Amino acid sequence: MTNYKGIWFTGLAGSGKTFASRYISKKMSNTFVLDGDEVRKHISTDLGYELEDRSVQINRLLGIAKIILKNNYIPIISSVYMNNKVSAKLDSEDIILIRIERDFEDLIKIRKIYKNENNVIGKDLGIEKVSCKKIYNNGTEEFVRKIDEIVK
């Protein structure tokens, strides 16, 4: 991870973002895990799940990540949504963006949101194409090896 000062995972709900964040945090020192769900629960209580609100949310995550960087910690951020506007800002902060991909049929089995709710990225809201590194979570040790490659 010598080329980056932080990591931002994006991907559908259930794709493995939280697992990857926690895994890296245990392997590295001086990290700060910034989970989009936790920020939504404690800070972004005023936001819904429409695309405009999701855009506000990731801008807030970026702002908090900048504070983390100023305090000499390595932010490990995760969010379901990402757009090109915020993605472009990550380079100037030396934060690598990684999309975790997973078979959608697997996600339907483990996440009820794909069956019963609205304003869900990947279901009724599209995924904006952003330039980023991609890793596939196939639920095996190969996924863990790919995460290990990130911290080298």
Side-chain angles (χ1 to χ4, degrees), residues 2-42:
T2 55
N3 297 333
Y4 300 98
K5 295 179 182 172
I7 303 167
W8 190 311
F9 290 111
T10 187
L12 297 177
S15 62
K17 300 177 303 294
T18 299
F19 172 83
S21 297
R22 290 179 181 161
Y23 181 81
I24 289 174
S25 181
K26 288 178 184 174
K27 293 194 73 114
M28 296 176 64
S29 60
N30 217 37
T31 61
F32 189 108
V33 174
L34 180 61
D35 187 280
D37 290 338
E38 289 295 312
V39 171
R40 184 176 284 282
K41 179 179 174 183
H42 299 290

Side-chain angles (χ1 to χ4, degrees), residues 40 46-58 81 83 118-121 124-126:
R40 184 176 284 282
D46 58 322
L47 298 178
Y49 291 90
E50 295 78 19
L51 286 179
E52 185 177 318
D53 288 341
R54 290 176 181 277
S55 183
V56 171
Q57 169 72 350
I58 60 173
Y81 181 70
N83 63 30
N118 296 321
N119 289 321
V120 176
I121 299 291
D124 58 341
L125 295 177

